[in-house]
Amino acid sequence: MAATQLTASPVTVSARSLASLEGLRASSVKFSSLKPGTLRQNQFGRLVVRAASVVAPKYTSIKPLGDRLLVKIKEAEEKTLGGILLPSTAQSKPQGGEVVAVGEGRTIGKTKIEITVPTGAQIIYSKYAGTEVEFNDVKHLILKEDDIVGILETDDIKDLKPLNDRVFIKVAEAEEKTAGGLLLTETTKEKPSIGTVIAVGPGSLEEDGSVKPLPISTGSTVLYSKYAGNDFKGKDGSNYIALRASDVMAILS
């Protein structure tokens, strides 16, 4: 006897359509080409915003607005300094990249504040800043200028040039022994919150558009909030931290 199968609102999906859906991630945008100052492409399919379930029409260009920048994210390290291959789960999330396009700046009162970071600059930005986009299988980030920690003119973090109201500090070494002489393991060493300032930004931006210099100078030994800022490790193994001047609690002498 022939069997009867009931279905509700059947949907047919071809193998080609399924293949086209592979690799899509939430909040991802894929494009095909990039030119300085604007993101352009001649042919691309659909722009999909999965979180909002929106399929948008074709676009021909993307340009950062206001005080936003478009940054090409640096590749994550796949090997340790000793040459050991890292699994994807152990690779540190990159916090650096190259500026490929900038907005026109912003206006504070009657003062126009232009973006001071040029295209081509290698920058370090705050963790979890901005919105990630992808094209040609390369990750990019759209973020605000205030999310940029500093400009890196060499390939070593110790040479970071902090921006705005940020301070760059070389962290003091953690104590390796207790007061009683017991040796501490790496996991039990207390995270230090004291360090030496090695670079400071130009200052904080005031409401009238002027820049107020920071009350902290290079060479100062400071006490800062324990879990503030962004941590980095230099090529020499030293630990560094970049944080806002407001996170510095005291100058020690």
Side-chain angles (χ1 to χ4, degrees):
M1 181 177 62
T4 302
Q5 183 177 1
L6 298 179
T7 60
S9 302
V11 178
T12 302
V13 181
S14 67
R16 177 177 298 180
S17 298
L18 287 173
S20 68
L21 295 176
E22 292 182 357
L24 286 179
R25 300 192 305 274
S27 301
S28 66
V29 186
K30 295 191 176 182
F31 306 96
S32 63
S33 63
L34 177 70
K35 295 181 181 179
T38 184
L39 184 63
R40 296 184 176 278
Q41 52 120 49
N42 294 324
Q43 295 180 345
F44 73 76
R46 297 175 300 176
L47 173 63
V48 180
V49 183
R50 178 171 294 179
S53 300
V54 174
V55 178
K58 294 182 179 180
Y59 292 93
T60 59
S61 68
I62 290 182
K63 176 178 173 59
L65 295 179
D67 58 344
R68 291 178 175 85
L69 304 90
L70 181 66
V71 178
K72 179 181 177 182
I73 300 175
K74 181 181 178 181
E75 294 287 338
E77 295 292 337
E78 295 184 355
K79 292 184 178 180
T80 65
L81 293 177
I84 300 174
L85 187 64
L86 297 174
S88 58
T89 54
Q91 293 174 19
S92 58
K93 180 179 178 180
Q95 281 183 244
E98 178 185 350
V99 176
V100 294
V102 301
E104 69 278 7
R106 56 177 169 157
T107 301
I108 299 180
K110 296 182 179 180
T111 305
K112 178 67 178 295
I113 308 296
E114 295 183 354
I115 293 178
T116 58
V117 182
T119 57
Q122 300 293 325
I123 65 165
I124 300 295
Y125 49 82
S126 299
K127 287 182 181 179
Y128 315 116
T131 299
E132 191 173 293
V133 297
E134 183 177 319
F135 64 95
N136 279 350
D137 297 323
V138 178
K139 293 180 179 179
H140 290 70
L141 199 66
I142 297 178
L143 45 71
K144 291 189 173 184
E145 185 179 22
D146 191 54
D147 290 324
I148 298 176
V149 173
I151 296 176
L152 195 58
E153 297 178 345
T154 71
D155 59 353
D156 196 340
I157 192 65
K158 71 179 180 62
D159 299 317
L160 181 72
K161 179 183 176 182
L163 295 182
N164 303 321
D165 61 340
R166 285 183 170 83
V167 180
F168 192 51
I169 297 170
K170 182 177 181 180
V171 179
E173 295 291 334
E175 293 293 335
E176 295 186 354
K177 291 184 179 181
T178 66
L182 295 177
L183 187 66
L184 298 175
T185 64
E186 289 294 332
T187 55
T188 57
K189 290 179 185 178
E190 183 177 358
K191 179 181 177 181
S193 55
I194 296 176
T196 302
V197 177
I198 60 175
V200 298
S204 57
L205 190 63
E206 299 295 287
E207 294 182 356
D208 60 357
S210 63
V211 176
K212 182 180 180 180
L214 301 180
I216 304 168
S217 58
T218 58
S220 300
T221 300
V222 297
L223 177 69
Y224 55 87
S225 298
K226 194 167 186 178
Y227 298 104
N230 295 270
D231 299 304
F232 305 98
K233 185 175 287 292
K235 287 189 173 182
D236 61 353
S238 298
N239 294 312
Y240 298 88
I241 187 169
L243 41 72
R244 295 188 183 275
S246 58
D247 290 320
V248 176
M249 297 185 291
I251 297 176
L252 308 177
S253 61

